[in-house]
Amino acid sequence: MDDGKPKLLTQVRQQIRVRNYSIRTETVYAEWVKRYIRFHQYRHPLEMGAAEIEAFLTHLAVTRNVAASTQNQALAALLFLYKEVLKVELPWLDGIVRAKKPAHLPVVLTREEVARVLEQLVGVRWMVATLLYGAGLRLLEALRLRVKDVDFARGEILVRDGKGQKDRVTMLPRRLVEPLREHLLKVEALHQRDLEEGFGRANLPFALARKYPNAAAEWGWQFVFPSGNRSKDPRSAGIFRHHVHEKTIQRAVREAVKRAGLIKPATPHTFRHSFATHLLESGQDIRTVQELLGHADVKTTQIYTHVLNRGGLGVISPLDRV
């Protein structure tokens, strides 16, 4: 029935953009909505509710055997659909078969292992990986940094819209100050060339771009780690210089780990785990580490107390006292 409203997926995308969610979240949420509708033989979501959501999520866990994080992602998308788009409040979903989340301890590198891996990296790849370890950033937090987020005078980095859309401040490692200054001189020269060629605009969050239409061309809003190529934005169809793709860093770190001769399954996120563990090892209090990591609950940070290099729970083995 055509009631003059935009199509459902268009409404989903509109609500996501109003809330400044990332293009990745938009793509993922839209895909889960489509899969949910297909699963129920293309019935409209307004004709369904909690029972149908439970059936879909249980199917994912039992039949598809998806990871717990995947099921939670699907649930988040469907709750967004009903609450924010359709304006329907759902009762508590207590009939869902939850995908079991395995309790894995994070992989942590020693300081010597971190140094060995970083020695295998050069240029932007080295700088990003060093920032992950030196400031405890998530990979996309580092890649999405804007020039204005780096405060050399205060030795700080402002992380905007981190996980949970929260801002936080972390340290700018002193060893990175000069390399980063030199890097930004090159980025600024690239930005000037883009402007001269009629481009030079960075992609801004949806609401911000509407409020400040000229901000995208300002130096402060450019990405610290820009892509080597300009590209078309899927939302606005404008031509922008986006940040370096995360797969570029993931692949570089994977190859560096191999060249360093490590057998640990280390990824870019391992640098963040190592950052937290090494701070606790050096005597930093857990609340400070929690703030630097941006954890909402200190219980999330406490997992690093179980991987400290002090033996099980910091207890000395009786064998070492003989």
Side-chain angles (χ1 to χ4, degrees), residues 104-286:
H104 293 310
L105 290 177
V107 175
V108 173
L109 303 179
T110 65
R111 289 177 173 82
E112 187 267 340
E113 288 171 335
V114 169
R116 283 164 55 189
V117 174
L118 293 179
E119 285 173 359
Q120 302 298 322
L121 297 166
V122 296
V124 169
R125 293 164 177 79
W126 171 84
M127 199 168 300
V128 173
T130 303
L131 201 54
L132 301 182
Y133 175 64
L137 302 183
R138 300 176 178 91
L139 178 54
L140 281 176
E141 289 176 345
L143 296 181
R144 289 172 178 165
L145 282 177
R146 312 279 181 156
V147 173
K148 67 202 306 282
D149 298 333
V150 181
D151 190 334
F152 288 103
R154 295 178 60 87
E156 294 177 348
I157 293 174
L158 173 59
V159 182
R160 300 177 186 272
D161 290 335
K163 193 172 183 180
Q165 288 194 300
K166 295 177 295 185
D167 294 353
R168 73 178 190 279
V169 174
T170 185
M171 75 278 284
L172 171 63
R174 288 195 296 269
R175 283 182 56 187
L176 264 179
V177 169
E178 287 309 312
L180 198 52
R181 284 186 187 276
E182 294 176 7
H183 168 74
L184 287 178
L185 289 175
K186 298 176 183 177
V187 174
E188 187 172 17
L190 176 65
H191 176 54
Q192 289 300 321
R193 288 199 299 272
D194 281 347
L195 289 174
E196 292 168 3
E197 295 174 9
F199 298 99
R201 300 176 66 84
N203 200 350
L204 297 185
F206 180 69
L208 192 65
R210 293 179 60 189
K211 187 174 183 180
Y212 303 108
N214 297 322
E218 295 177 4
W219 166 233
W221 283 105
Q222 305 309 303
F223 288 110
V224 173
F225 303 109
S227 169
N229 302 304
R230 295 187 290 257
S231 58
K232 186 176 181 180
D233 178 59
R235 287 178 168 174
S236 67
I239 303 298
F240 299 95
R241 190 177 291 279
H242 204 50
H243 59 66
V244 171
H245 199 284
E246 63 268 27
K247 288 185 179 179
T248 300
I249 307 301
Q250 291 167 345
R251 182 166 52 249
V253 170
R254 183 170 61 248
E255 294 170 353
V257 169
K258 290 181 180 179
R259 289 195 299 271
L262 303 188
I263 60 173
K264 293 179 179 178
T267 68
H269 204 66
T270 303
F271 289 119
R272 176 174 159 89
H273 294 322
S274 303
F275 164 86
T277 303
H278 296 168
L279 281 181
L280 292 171
E281 283 180 341
S282 66
Q284 289 290 339
D285 67 280
I286 196 168

Side-chain angles (χ1 to χ4, degrees), residues 52-115:
E52 285 78 10
I53 293 179
E54 289 175 358
F56 177 63
L57 296 177
T58 300
H59 162 75
L60 292 179
V62 176
T63 306
R64 300 296 302 277
N65 195 30
V66 302
S69 58
T70 301
Q71 191 194 45
N72 289 336
Q73 186 185 74
L75 175 58
L78 296 181
L79 291 180
F80 181 88
L81 168 67
Y82 278 94
K83 184 177 180 180
E84 307 298 344
V85 180
L86 301 177
K87 309 301 181 183
V88 174
E89 292 291 341
L90 294 174
W92 180 247
L93 304 173
D94 55 4
I96 300 172
V97 176
R98 300 280 180 175
K100 188 175 181 180
K101 188 172 183 178
H104 293 310
L105 290 177
V107 175
V108 173
L109 303 179
T110 65
R111 289 177 173 82
E112 187 267 340
E113 288 171 335
V114 169

